[in-house]
Structures are given as C-alpha cells and as structure tokens.
C-alpha cells in the first residue's frame, strides 16, 4: 500500500490496497457471520443484537458520551456567548442591571459574592425584595445556563478521568472519530471556561437570582453553592485549567502528537503547493479516472484552523508537555507561526501569543519557552500575512481549474470527490483566517495582508463546487454504491480474515459491516432509495473506543489497517446519505454572520474591482449559510441571527441592483443622445454647411469645432480604445452574470430572488428618467416637445428590451408598468407623471395665452399659432399643437392621459364661458335686449365690450357703457356707435355724462376738442 514519505510533503492521493496476510499458525480467525446482509429497521442484521452483551470495558460508552457531550458543550457555549452579548448591549441588557435603584444591590452582590446572607442583608437588598418575582422570572434562564456549565464540567471531568484510567490510544490516522471527539471535547471545555471568565456580569446575574429565589422560596437554589465556588475558581481561568489538565497531560499529548505529520504536511506555503500541483487533475492526466484515495481520508479535508486550535489550546492547558518531546515543541512552534488569533466561538477570539506568554511567564522554568514564543510571534507578524495571501492566490487558480473541469465532465466527480472536499476545506480556512484577522488586527505596517479585493472569487468558486455536488448527487451515489459493494466490502473482509486475533464480539460487528456493504447495489440508487448508514458509523465509533483502550482484545494500535479501511468506508457512506453534513463540515462559513462590518468592507472592495463584479453574488449566497449558527439549546438567538442575515443579504443585493440599474440608465442615456442626433432639427446646420460649401459663401470661422456626424462614434482607429459605452456594456454584463447566477435561494426560510431587486430598481429609475426627459420647468414654463420625448422614450425602451439576453428580467412587464403609470396623474410613488406635466403646461401656457389672444387657431396649419408681439420672447405654439405633436402626446400619455388632459382643458374653458355668462346675466345682458328689439333700452349700462352688442344689434345703444375701445365695434358693424370713441359711459337721454374726457374739461385739464365725438 502507498504510504507517505517521512518528510512533510503534500498528500499523495492513491488507491489504497492492503496486502493480504496469512493467519498465524495455531490461531483461528472467526469467519464473518450473517453474510446475508439483510437490513432491519436499524440497518443491521439480527446477529448484531448479540453484540450488546459485552464485558465491562465496553460499558464506558466513550463514543456515546463524546458525541453527546460535544453537542451539549457546543450548546452551552452558545448560551454563555448569548449571555455575554446580551449583557454587553445596553438595548438588550436586563433592566435590573441597568436600573439606578438596583445599583447599590449590584455593588453589594459583587462585593460579597458568593457569601450572600439574604436575611441579614435586607437593608442592602430592599429593591431586590420588592421585585423578587420579576427578577426570578427574568434572570432564571441566565442562572440555569450557568448551572448547565457546572453540570457540563462535572461530566467532562468524569469522562476525561475514565479515559485516562483506561489508558486510551489516540491516533488521528487510525481511530479518527475517537481522537477528533476527544480533542474537540478538550477545546470546547477550554473555550467555555475562557468565555465564562469574559462574561463580566456573571456574579451579578447569579447573585441577584440567588437572593430573589431565597426571598421567594425561603431557601437558596441547591446548585448555588457549587456554582458560586466555580465562578470564584475561574477568576483566573488559565491557571485553574492548567491545574485541571495536569493529570490528563499524557492523553492530550498523545492525541496532539498524532497530528505532527498531518499538520506539517498541510501547513505549507503556496510555492510548495504549486510544485506539487495540489488539487490539479491535469498534472496526472493518465490517472484522471483512478479513484482518489488516501490512508487518511477524513484528515485530507480536516480544517487546518481546527488543528491549530487543538494544538495551541492543548499545549496552553498542558504546558508541561512542551518539555516532554522535541516533536511537541516543534508542533507547538509551527502552529504559533500561522495565526495571531484563534477562534473561541464565532467572533470571540483568543490572542494566543499574548495569553500564552502571560501564562508561561507566571510559571517557573519556562523561560526558554517564552523566548521561543516571542520568536514565533515575530515570525507570525511578519510572515503569516504573505503566507496566507499566497495561498489564496494559488487556490483561486487551482479551484477555478478544478471547477471548470468537473463542470464540463461531471462524471469525474465520482472518482475525484475527495478533491472537491479538500478544495472546499482549504478555501474555507483561508477565508476564515482573513476575516478573523481583518477584524481584530487593528495596527499593522502591512494592511494589505489583511485585505483582499479578490476574495469574492474564492467565495464564488466554493458556492460553485457546493452547487455542483448537489446537482450531481446521482453520479456520486452510483459510483460509491458500487465502490462500497465491490471494493470496500472485499478489502474489509480480507482484512478481517487476516487478523491474528479477532474476538467474537468484534468479529460480529465487523462482519455486519461487510454484510451491509455487500448488499448494496445500483438498483437502490435507480429506485431513489434513502440510504442511512448512521448506525454503521456509530458502531464503528463504538468499535474504535472499544479497541483503543489498554489491554483490548483487538488493539487498534497494532491493527491500523482496520482503522484505515474503515475511515475510507465512512467517507464513502457519507457521500451516499450525509452529503449536506459533509459539505458543512468542509465548507461551513456561518461564523461570518458575526463579522458584518468586515463582510461589508469586502463587498465594497469587490464592487470597486471591475473584474470581480461577476462574483459579487457570492456575498448574498453566503448569507444562506448563516442559518447553521442557530443551536437548539439557544432558540432565542433565532430572531437576531435572522435579522442580521436578511439585512446583510438585502444590503448586498440592493447595492448590486443599484449599480446595475444605474449602469442601464447611463447606457439608455447614451442611446438617447445618439437618437437625438438624428432628429430633424439637427440637420439644419449640416444642410447649411453643405449649401455654403457649394456656393463658397461664408467660410467657416477659425476655431469653430467640427460637428461629428451621427455614426462617427462607431468608427474605431484602434481596438484598444474604449468608449464610455464599452465600459457600460462590460460593467452591465458582469453585474448581469452575477444577478442572473441563481433564480432564487433561501435565507432563514425566506426565498430571495436577486433579479427582482434589479427589476424594482430599474422600474423606479426608468420612471424618473421618463419624467426627466420632459424637462419641465414650472418657473419658466419650458417643456420638451412630445415628439422629442417620444423619440427618447423609444431609445430607452429599445435598450431595456435588449436586456432580456443578459438578465432574466420580464422587461415587458417593467415597460408596461412604467408607461401605464405615465397615463395617470400620479405614479406609484406619488410623483408627477408625463400626464400631469403636459396637462399643467397646456393649461398654464397654451390655454392662458389663447385666452389673452396671444395664440389663435390657424386652420390652414391645422394647429394653433402664436401672434407675434414686440418685446416678448419668441414662442411657437405650432411646435406643440400640430397634428404630429398631438399624436406623439397621445402615444406618450395614452388614452387615460388624453382623457385627463381633455377633461381639464374642457373644465377650464367651460369655467371661463360660465364666468362670462354670469357676468352678463348680473349686468342685465344689454346686448340681448338690443338684439331682440332693435332699439337699446334707455339708460342701460354695460360693463362688457360695446362691439359685442353692436355686432349683434346692428345699432349700438346710445347709452351703453364702454370699457374698451369703440373702434372695435365700428370695425365690426361698419357704423360707429355714438360712444365709439369714448373711454367711458356715453350719456343717454336724461342722464349726466360721466365720460372721463368731459370730467377733465370741467376740471380745466382738457378742451372739448379732445373728445372723440364733440357733437356729444
């Protein structure tokens, strides 16, 4: 079988085949029993029930306890994290801790904790007694979370002591699940203690609840005494942890030493990766169809960050191990050089160099280790940034090549599935490192080491690989069902038969594995059978624990081939029934939910980099990971996490849609400008220039700019020259690829459709652009001609319709919605529309001037025309009222808009006519009397135009009152009225003259010769 070289080098992925061994003489090897392979409800043959009557060594239940305690520890860790964040935020902090009336109580509790005598301290705890019921209800969840920490600690103590007593064997390459579970438990417990010590209000919460509980029930909570003592012990957590883990140093060290070779091989730079062609399928094209396998399958995609955490936290609580072996010291130094911060949970980190230096400095005999630590810190500060930057650059190229090849030939996903999970794990480690250090490294001489404008491409490639695996699940299942039945089962059977010693209980379990794997067939995949290998993996976990204790009947340490082939089997079974869990294990980035500021900064950098725009969709897609942050033990976090995830996703998509819609509108404006150059009004200068050139008149003035003819923008002298339109099209194409990447995705049970964001922004901007094309100014009463607006609108509509081949938008719906809104007085946002603008303009400009006589109807032109007047700016009413303009206006505002316009026009016209009628009726309607009798009524007064009555009655009334020039009446009737030249009333019989001229004569300021009708 293939084995790795002694020196650290990248993994050699080969097909592992164990060499058969002959059984020793005199030793009988039990044959596999229950070979029928029929599976019951649990998935195993009935013979497996006999394996339950096991000796006492199997009653420790290491596998079950590690599984339960790791999950429980994670939940308790999340609860303490939630308490810390809740109490540190003034908005969510419990009122009892912020109330001024409670401040003396809180100080008293913190001072006397945990020796709180409630009965003798009533004077200090009066407010607590007053609100004891509310305090018990409000602080109960906090208190019981701390009790959970106490219970978890008790169970961890018990399990670690039992493991030490059984002298368990740990090797990450052989009993992977057992070793990983043990190290995870150690790190979870250490993280919990450190996080507990960071919760500043722990004393106040526990003490206040205790006081309120005793006041309410007459006795303290049974757990308070031990809980208070625990909180006191962990005031200096690292010192206490080193004392606790002193007896466990040997077990922790043996587990960590098994990582030495693996960690050294994985923790290499980009140059070494490049020389070994890591993740490349083309480097060994001849072996492209060979299955990718390894002696240590699960270790190949084990997170480097997880291993760093195991090593550094393990040696942090077991510092004595650093002097036990040179390998321990080498492993510790190597881990210290890679990172400056370690993750405790989510965004809570450990500044590992500082904390370790403080701890070792307080211990005797660790002076050399402190010197080593400072050297490693200097190396990490100077080299870790460039190291990880080089890794990210290499991974972008390698993963891009891998994804393209598997996308083109998905059949390769079967034999090369391991490469996918390795790539996902490597990328996840680099993204996590960058985000963690970008958040916490505030002062640095090389800030470029902690920023990466190309991180979006790596995130996008990760999403592509995940999507590819989900789409091609059938390929994976068909391949690995056959692999398990035709290879793994045979190899495992051969190993079992060649074991030198195999007790009956272990033989039954291993035989059941062989039987279950042999019974698999492709028919199950074709019939879409739901595979479930969870019992098999749990039994293998149990078997690892059984065979890893000292004096085991079948010691796994001396039979590593069983562990290696079973690790291979476990990986293959996960590809059949636990693909989502495997993807989460290799590529979960849910912790980025707690780094919103860094996420936004990386997104902004991505949007500023033109080549990264097509990958910007990776940030919204990343928000779909965040639902994995929720733990069943802390459901109250769900609303906050949901709000953060949806808020980030919405912000990212809004910004993408804003830029895309802005780019579309800019391109539409460019097309509008081009179409405007083709308007007839712009041809006058061209025609004039051609005529002048032909007649050789009026040579062009020097320095006069040469006007480009329409179409000149399409002529290129050099292919490298790019116009603004080229840049807009490129940007739009990149953003469209991003927005159109997925039709929809789910974030916390909310379905998100990226294209709808663009549709909404585009509709809003298009509406504003249409209104802006009218160019209406209420102050100057200027507006664009409807025909020009219609041409511009056509350019916009044509370009928007062309978006259909770029983005999955319903452009027809957008156009119809916008144009239909323009037919109404107000759009959906309550703003003005073209209908309102043109209705107001025709009423304010055309109708008013027509009422004043400045505009008259020209039947020959089929339009209204302007009566020219001196001293007034030129205005051509025909440009807005001829047939072509009316047709353009009708197309712009539609039938509803035209109805609104006509209704308003008719209302104003009818209002003026009605006003005239009312005036005439109020003043006696003099012209009506003259028209009826032919003789005007004596003494009647008229305040309206005298020519109107004369035109109707043929003879003007002698006593009519004139406010206008009488020449108008004479011009119409041909006979001047007696008061035609009079500016005021001409007296009738028996009435005094109130003519202004006569009044001036009487006053001595005029003569009778000034009167237009002296005979009067």
């Amino acid at each position: 079988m293939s084995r790795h070289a002694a020196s650290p080098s990248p993994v050699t992925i080969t097909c592992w085949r164990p060499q058969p061994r002959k059984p020793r003489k005199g030793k009988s090897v039990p044959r596999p029993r229950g070979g029928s392979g029929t599976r019951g409800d649990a998935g195993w043959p009935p013979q497996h029930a006999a394996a339950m009557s096991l000796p006492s060594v199997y009653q420790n239940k290491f596998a079950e306890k590690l599984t339960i305690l790791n999950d429980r520890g994670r939940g308790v860790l999340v609860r303490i994290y939630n308490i810390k964040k809740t109490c540190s935020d003034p908005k969510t902090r419990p009122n009892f801790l912020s109330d001024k009336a409670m401040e003396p109580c809180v100080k008293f509790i913190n001072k006397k904790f945990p020796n709180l005598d409630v009965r003798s301290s009533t004077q200090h705890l009066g407010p607590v007694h007053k609100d004891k019921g509310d305090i018990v209800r409000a602080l109960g969840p906090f208190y019981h979370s701390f009790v959970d920490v106490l219970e978890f600690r008790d169970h961890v103590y018990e399990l670690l002591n039992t493991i030490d007593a059984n002298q368990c064997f740990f090797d990450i390459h052989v009993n992977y699940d057992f070793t990983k579970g043990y190290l995870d438990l150690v790190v979870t417990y250490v993280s919990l203690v450190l996080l507990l010590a960071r919760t500043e209000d722990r004393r106040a919460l526990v003490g206040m609840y205790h006081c309120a509980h005793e006041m309410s029930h007459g006795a303290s909570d049974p757990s308070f005494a031990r809980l208070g003592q625990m909180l006191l012990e962990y005031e200096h957590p690292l010192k206490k942890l080193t004392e606790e883990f002193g007896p466990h140093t040997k077990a922790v060290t043996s587990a960590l030493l098994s990582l030495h070779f693996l960690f050294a091989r994985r923790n290499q730079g980009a140059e070494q990766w490049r020389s070994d062609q890591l993740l490349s399928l083309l480097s060994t094209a001849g072996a492209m169809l060979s299955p990718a396998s390894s002696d240590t399958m699960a270790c190949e995609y084990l997170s480097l960050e997880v291993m760093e955490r195991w090593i550094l936290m393990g040696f942090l609580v077991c510092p004595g191990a650093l002097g036990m072996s040179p390998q321990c010291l080498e492993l510790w130094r190597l881990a210290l050089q890679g990172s400056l911060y370690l993750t405790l949970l989510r965004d809570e980190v450990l500044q590992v160099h500082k904390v370790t230096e403080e701890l070792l400095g307080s211990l005797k005999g660790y002076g050399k280790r402190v010197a080593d630590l400072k050297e490693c810190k200097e190396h990490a500060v100077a080299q870790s940034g460039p190291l990880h930057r080089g890794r990210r650059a290499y991974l972008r190229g390698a993963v891009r090549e891998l994804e393209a090849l598997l996308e083109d030939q998905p059949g390769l996903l079967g034999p090369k599935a391991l490469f996918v999970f390795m790539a996902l794990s490597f990328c996840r480690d680099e993204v996590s490192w960058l985000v963690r250090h970008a958040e916490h490294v505030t002062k640095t001489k090389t800030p470029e080491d902690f920023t990466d404008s190309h991180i979006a491409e790596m995130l996008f490639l990760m999403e592509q690989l995940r999507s590819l695996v989900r789409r091609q699940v059938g390929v994976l299942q068909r391949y690995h069902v056959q692999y398990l039945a035709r290879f793994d089962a045979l190899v495992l059977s051969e190993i079992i038969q060649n074991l030198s010693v195999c007790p009956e209980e272990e033989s039954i379990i291993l035989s059941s594995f062989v039987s279950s794997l042999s019974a698999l067939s492709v028919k199950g995949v074709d019939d879409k059978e739901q595979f479930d290998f969870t019992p098999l993996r749990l039994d293998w976990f149990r078997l690892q624990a059984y065979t890893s204790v000292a004096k085991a009947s079948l010691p796994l340490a001396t039979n590593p081939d069983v562990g290696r082939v079973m690790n291979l089997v476990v990986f293959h079974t996960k590809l059949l029934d636990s693909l989502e869990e495997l993807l989460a294990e290799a590529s979960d980035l849910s912790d980025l939910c707690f780094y919103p500021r860094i996420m936004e900064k990386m997104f902004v950098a991505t949007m500023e980099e033109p080549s990264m725009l097509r990958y910007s969709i990776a940030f919204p897609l990343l928000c779909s990971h965040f639902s994995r942050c929720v733990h069943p033990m802390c459901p109250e976090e769900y609303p906050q996490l949901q709000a953060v995830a949806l808020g980030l996703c919405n912000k990212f998509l809004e910004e993408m849609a804003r830029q895309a819609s802005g780019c579309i509108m800019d391109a539409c404006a460019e097309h509008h400008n081009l179409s405007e150059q083709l308007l007839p009004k712009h041809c006058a200068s061209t025609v004039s220039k051609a005529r002048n050139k032909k007649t050789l008149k009026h040579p062009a003035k020097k320095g006069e700019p040469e006007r480009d003819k329409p179409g000149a923008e399409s002529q290129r002298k050099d292919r490298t020259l790019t116009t603004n339109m080229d840049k807009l099209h490129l940007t739009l194409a990149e953003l469209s690829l991003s927005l159109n990447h997925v039709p929809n995705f789910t974030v916390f049970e909310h379905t998100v459709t990226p294209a709808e964001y663009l549709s909404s922004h585009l509709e809003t901007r298009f509406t504003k652009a249409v209104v802006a094309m009218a160019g209406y100014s209420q102050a100057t009463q200027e507006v664009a001609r409807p025909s020009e607006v219609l041409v511009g609108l056509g350019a916009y509509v044509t370009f928007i319709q062309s978006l259909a081949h770029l983005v999955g938008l319903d452009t027809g719906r957008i156009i119809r919605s916008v144009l239909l809104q323009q037919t109404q007085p107000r759009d959906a946002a309550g703003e003005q529309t073209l209908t309102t603008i043109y209705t107001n303009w025709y009423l304010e400009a055309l109708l008013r001037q027509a009422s004043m006589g400045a505009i008259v109807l020209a039947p020959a032109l089929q339009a209204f025309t302007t009566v020219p007047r001196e001293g007034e700016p030129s205005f051509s009413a025909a440009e807005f009222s001829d047939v072509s303009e009316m047709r353009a206006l009708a197309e712009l505002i539609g039938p509803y808009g035209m109805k609104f316009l006509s209704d308003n026009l008719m209302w104003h016209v009818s209002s003026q006519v009605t006003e005239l009628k009312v005036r005439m009726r109020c003043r006696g309607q003099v012209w009506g009397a003259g028209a009826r009798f032919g003789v005007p009524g004596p003494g009647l007064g008229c305040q309206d135009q005298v020519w109107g009555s004369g035109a109707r009655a043929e003879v003007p009334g002698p006593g009519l009152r004139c406010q206008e020039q009488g020449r108008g009446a004479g011009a119409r009737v041909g006979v001047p009225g007696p008061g035609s030249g009079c500016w005021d009333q001409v007296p009738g019989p028996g009435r005094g003259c109130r003519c202004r001229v006569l009044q001036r004569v009487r006053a001595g300021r005029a003569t009778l010769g000034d009167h237009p009708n002296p005979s009067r």
Side-chain angles (χ1 to χ4, degrees):
M1 64 183 170
S2 64
R3 298 189 182 276
H4 299 297
S7 60
S9 61
V11 62
T12 305
I13 307 296
T14 59
C15 182
W16 182 78
R17 295 176 182 272
Q19 300 296 327
R21 294 186 298 180
K22 295 182 180 181
R24 298 177 183 175
K25 294 182 179 181
K27 300 287 185 179
S28 62
V29 180
R31 308 296 296 177
R33 284 178 275 177
S36 62
T38 44
R39 291 181 290 171
D41 294 337
W44 311 118
Q47 295 89 331
H48 193 192
M52 294 299 100
S53 58
L54 299 175
S56 59
V57 67
Y58 303 116
Q59 302 306 318
N60 291 319
K61 300 185 181 299
F62 289 145
E64 293 86 343
K65 290 180 178 178
L66 284 173
T67 302
I68 294 172
L69 282 179
N70 273 316
D71 183 67
R72 176 92 177 163
R74 177 77 180 183
V76 174
L77 196 57
V78 170
R79 289 204 62 82
I80 297 301
Y81 173 90
N82 184 53
I83 291 174
K84 180 179 181 298
K85 295 299 182 182
T86 300
C87 294
S88 61
D89 187 356
K91 297 180 181 178
T92 58
R93 184 180 174 86
N95 295 330
F96 304 107
L97 299 181
S98 306
D99 191 359
K100 290 186 177 180
M102 288 287 183
E103 286 183 4
C105 302
V106 173
K107 291 180 180 179
F108 176 78
I109 290 172
N110 285 329
K111 182 180 180 180
K112 296 295 184 179
F113 187 87
N115 302 316
L116 297 171
D117 189 353
V118 177
R119 296 180 181 178
S120 62
S121 306
T122 54
Q123 57 183 357
H124 299 285
L125 301 174
V128 175
H129 186 274
K130 181 180 178 181
D131 297 327
K132 57 186 177 183
D134 294 337
I135 291 175
V136 169
R137 283 190 295 271
L139 302 186
F142 297 93
Y143 179 83
H144 290 102
S145 295
F146 291 112
V147 174
D148 288 340
V149 175
L150 179 64
E151 294 177 353
F152 177 71
R153 183 184 74 157
D154 295 340
H155 290 296
V156 171
Y157 276 177
E158 179 186 356
L159 181 57
L160 293 180
N161 290 331
T162 308
I163 289 176
D164 282 345
N166 285 273
Q167 299 178 8
C168 292
F169 157 76
F170 294 106
D171 189 344
I172 197 72
H173 305 93
V174 179
N175 52 359
Y176 174 84
D177 298 306
F178 190 44
T179 305
K180 181 178 183 296
Y182 179 77
L183 291 174
D184 279 342
L185 184 62
V186 171
V187 168
T188 300
Y189 178 67
V190 173
S191 301
L192 179 60
V193 171
L194 294 176
L195 195 59
L196 179 65
R198 294 184 181 186
T199 308
E200 297 179 355
D201 296 308
R202 59 189 181 278
R203 287 189 174 193
L205 292 171
V206 174
M208 188 174 291
Y209 176 85
H210 160 70
C211 295
H213 184 277
E214 187 169 345
M215 291 174 181
S216 301
H217 299 86
S220 63
D221 186 82
S223 303
F224 174 73
R226 295 184 62 240
L227 180 57
Q229 186 61 33
M230 183 191 73
L231 294 181
L232 283 183
E233 291 174 354
Y234 290 137
E235 287 295 327
H236 303 285
L238 287 178
K239 184 178 180 180
K240 179 63 177 176
L241 285 171
T242 54
E243 296 175 2
E244 291 177 350
F245 277 89
H248 312 307
T249 299
K250 182 179 178 181
V252 173
T253 303
S254 64
L256 294 178
L257 279 177
S258 69
L259 298 172
H260 183 271
F261 174 75
L262 175 64
F263 186 74
R265 176 167 57 82
R266 287 284 303 278
N267 191 26
Q268 293 180 343
E271 291 301 323
Q272 185 64 41
W273 283 0
R274 191 170 289 107
S275 64
D276 294 322
Q277 292 293 296
L278 183 69
L279 301 177
S280 176
L281 298 181
L282 300 178
S283 60
T284 55
M288 191 174 289
L289 297 179
S290 300
S293 184
S294 170
D295 294 350
T296 55
M297 287 297 290
C299 296
E300 302 305 334
Y301 57 87
L302 178 61
S303 171
L304 186 65
E305 179 188 352
V306 169
M307 286 192 283
E308 280 185 350
R309 196 181 304 135
W310 287 347
I311 295 167
L312 294 175
M313 287 192 181
F315 287 126
L316 183 64
V317 295
C318 299
L322 296 174
M324 294 172 57
S325 168
Q327 286 186 329
C328 291
L329 184 59
E330 181 184 354
L331 182 62
W332 179 64
R333 288 173 57 89
L334 188 61
L336 284 171
Q337 294 174 1
S339 299
L340 298 171
Y341 292 90
L342 284 183
T343 301
L344 292 179
L345 179 72
R346 298 173 174 175
D347 60 335
E348 289 290 330
V349 297
L350 182 69
Q351 197 171 354
V352 61
H353 298 87
K354 178 182 178 181
V355 171
T356 307
E357 184 178 354
E358 291 175 355
L359 175 65
L360 296 182
S362 64
L363 301 176
K364 294 181 179 180
Y366 286 90
K368 292 184 178 180
R369 302 291 80 83
V370 173
D372 292 338
L373 179 67
K374 292 181 179 179
E375 181 183 347
C376 292
K377 181 180 180 180
E378 293 175 0
H379 184 277
V381 171
Q383 300 298 329
S384 63
L387 172 70
H388 287 273
R389 186 171 67 246
R391 286 180 183 174
R392 292 194 300 272
Y394 174 81
L395 285 173
R396 281 196 297 269
V399 177
R400 189 189 309 120
E401 176 189 299
L402 177 65
E403 188 273 333
L405 192 58
L406 293 177
E407 187 75 43
D408 185 65
Q409 300 293 331
L412 291 174
L413 197 58
K416 302 300 182 184
L418 179 60
F419 278 84
V420 174
F421 293 98
M422 289 173 61
L424 289 173
S425 179
F426 293 173
C427 291
R428 188 265 311 276
D429 286 338
E430 295 307 317
V431 172
S432 179
W433 185 95
L434 178 64
V435 171
R436 185 169 68 252
H437 286 75
E439 173 73 17
H440 297 286
V441 176
T442 55
K443 297 180 180 179
T444 177
K445 296 180 180 179
T446 55
E448 65 276 3
D449 290 341
F450 306 104
T451 57
D452 190 351
S453 60
H454 294 78
I455 196 67
E457 183 178 3
M458 185 175 291
L459 295 172
F460 181 82
L461 291 172
M462 291 178 69
E463 290 295 334
Q464 286 291 88
L465 286 179
R466 291 165 60 94
S467 175
L468 177 65
V469 169
R470 292 191 182 104
R471 291 198 314 269
Q472 303 299 336
V473 63
V475 173
L476 287 169
Q477 288 186 341
R478 291 182 66 87
Y479 184 88
H480 288 96
V481 158
Q482 300 177 73
Y483 201 108
L484 285 166
R486 300 179 185 179
F487 180 79
D488 291 340
L490 299 178
V491 172
L492 182 60
S493 177
E494 184 179 357
I495 289 176
I496 296 171
Q497 294 175 18
N498 291 327
L499 288 175
S500 58
V501 175
C502 187
E504 183 178 2
E505 292 81 5
E506 284 80 355
S507 176
I508 291 173
I509 297 177
L510 292 172
S511 299
S512 68
F513 294 165
V514 175
S515 301
S516 299
L517 298 178
S518 301
L520 296 173
S521 66
V522 181
K523 188 175 183 299
V525 179
D526 296 336
D527 295 341
K528 296 184 178 179
E529 177 184 347
Q530 294 295 323
F531 296 100
D532 185 15
F533 293 98
T534 305
L536 183 148
R537 291 191 290 269
L538 180 57
D539 275 352
W540 167 234
F541 194 179
R542 289 168 174 157
L543 189 60
Q544 291 178 62
Y546 302 159
T547 56
S548 296
V549 298
K551 300 179 182 180
S553 302
L554 177 65
L556 202 57
T558 58
N559 297 280
D561 291 348
V562 177
R564 292 191 176 100
V565 73
M566 281 306 301
N567 288 336
L568 184 64
V569 168
V570 167
F571 175 69
H572 291 161
T573 57
K574 285 184 177 180
L575 290 173
L576 294 182
D577 68 338
S578 303
L579 194 58
E580 284 299 325
E581 294 180 12
L582 198 58
L583 286 172
E585 182 182 352
S587 62
D588 179 40
L589 288 170
S590 59
D591 284 350
L592 269 61
C593 178
F594 303 94
Y595 293 96
R597 187 179 65 88
I598 299 301
M599 290 279 291
E600 292 177 10
K601 288 179 64 176
M602 292 194 300
F603 178 74
V604 169
T606 297
M607 299 303 289
E608 292 174 352
E609 183 69 30
S611 61
M612 291 292 108
L613 290 177
R614 63 171 58 192
Y615 306 121
S616 56
I617 190 63
F619 287 93
L621 291 176
L622 189 59
C623 298
S624 62
H625 293 233
F626 296 167
S627 58
R628 295 188 61 86
C629 295
V630 181
H631 196 278
M633 287 185 63
C634 193
E636 57 266 30
E637 274 191 330
Y638 188 90
Q640 292 88 348
L641 296 178
Q642 183 186 50
V644 172
L646 292 174
L648 279 176
C649 181
N650 184 70
K651 186 176 294 185
F652 295 150
L653 288 174
E654 285 284 353
E655 179 61 22
M656 292 168 61
R658 187 189 67 80
Q659 287 203 21
S661 60
C663 186
I664 292 172
M665 288 296 104
D666 290 343
C668 286
E670 291 283 345
H671 281 272
H672 181 203
N673 293 336
L674 295 177
S675 64
E676 191 177 7
Q677 294 177 13
L678 300 176
L679 291 176
K681 66 179 183 180
H682 293 301
C683 70
S685 60
T686 305
V687 172
S688 176
K689 185 180 295 185
R691 178 177 296 179
N692 293 337
K693 186 176 182 180
K694 187 174 181 180
T695 58
L696 299 178
K697 293 181 179 180
H698 303 290
K701 297 180 180 179
K702 293 183 179 180
E704 183 178 354
E706 184 70 19
R707 182 183 178 86
D708 292 334
K709 293 182 179 180
E713 69 280 349
S714 300
Q715 300 176 0
R716 305 290 180 94
K717 296 181 180 180
D718 189 350
R719 294 174 62 90
T720 60
L721 297 178
T722 57
T723 62
N724 186 42
M725 185 65 76
D726 295 332
K727 297 176 182 177
L728 290 174
H729 275 282
L730 178 60
T731 303
L732 179 58
E734 297 290 308
L735 287 171
S736 299
L737 280 174
S738 190
L739 289 169
N740 208 37
H741 179 65
V742 291
N744 54 67
F745 58 95
T746 303
V747 178
F748 274 92
E749 300 177 358
H750 287 69
T751 301
V752 181
T753 306
E756 285 301 315
Y757 283 82
L758 177 58
S759 178
S760 175
H761 274 263
L762 185 57
E763 184 174 331
T764 302
R765 287 190 176 230
F766 186 28
T767 302
K768 293 180 180 179
V770 170
V771 174
M773 276 189 283
Y776 178 62
S777 173
Q778 190 172 6
T780 61
Q781 290 296 317
E782 294 180 355
V783 74
R785 297 171 61 182
S787 58
E788 295 178 2
V789 176
L790 184 62
V791 171
L793 181 62
Y796 273 71
V797 169
T798 301
F799 185 80
I800 292 176
Q801 286 175 334
S802 69
L803 296 175
H805 70 281
L806 289 176
V807 193
L809 286 179
D810 187 357
T811 54
R813 181 186 64 82
I814 296 174
I815 295 171
R816 287 193 300 272
S817 175
V818 171
L819 296 186
L820 187 60
Q821 291 181 47
Q822 297 305 311
T823 66
Q824 304 299 317
R826 296 285 174 179
D827 61 13
E831 300 295 332
Q832 283 189 341
T833 62
L834 290 180
T835 297
T836 305
I837 289 173
Y838 278 107
T839 298
N840 291 339
W841 187 85
Y842 276 99
L843 290 175
E844 295 293 332
L846 277 182
L847 182 60
R848 176 166 297 188
Q849 294 192 42
S851 302
M852 296 170 58
I855 295 176
V856 297
L857 176 65
L861 299 177
Q862 293 186 344
F864 286 90
T865 184
T866 303
V867 177
R869 293 184 178 181
E870 295 183 1
E872 294 187 5
S874 61
F875 168 73
S876 175
E879 292 182 358
F880 294 87
S881 60
D882 61 6
V883 175
S884 61
E885 296 299 332
M886 289 296 102
R887 287 175 179 169
L889 182 63
E891 288 189 51
L892 285 175
I893 64 177
Y896 292 107
M898 293 301 290
K899 184 178 185 301
F900 180 80
L901 174 63
S902 62
D903 289 347
N904 276 271
L905 285 173
M906 291 305 298
W907 184 86
H908 279 77
V909 171
S910 63
S911 297
Q912 294 182 11
V913 172
T914 303
E915 183 179 355
L916 290 174
K917 289 182 178 180
V918 170
R919 285 189 177 187
M920 298 300 293
R921 189 178 296 115
C922 292
R923 298 303 178 187
Q925 298 180 346
V926 175
W927 56 269
R932 182 177 302 174
F933 301 106
V935 179
L940 298 180
C942 173
Q943 290 184 342
D944 289 301
Q945 292 178 341
V946 68
W947 53 263
S949 61
R952 296 193 181 190
E954 299 294 340
V955 180
L960 298 182
R961 183 180 180 185
C962 173
Q963 288 185 338
E964 303 289 342
Q965 280 188 336
R967 289 190 296 269
R972 290 198 177 193
V973 299
V975 179
S980 59
C982 181
W983 292 91
D984 208 304
Q985 184 181 19
V986 179
R991 285 182 173 266
C993 178
R994 293 188 299 171
C995 176
R996 291 195 186 104
V997 178
L998 294 180
Q999 292 175 359
R1000 293 173 62 192
V1001 170
R1002 289 172 184 170
R1005 294 194 299 272
T1007 62
L1008 289 176
D1010 296 328
H1011 200 286
N1013 193 354
S1015 62
R1016 285 290 181 184

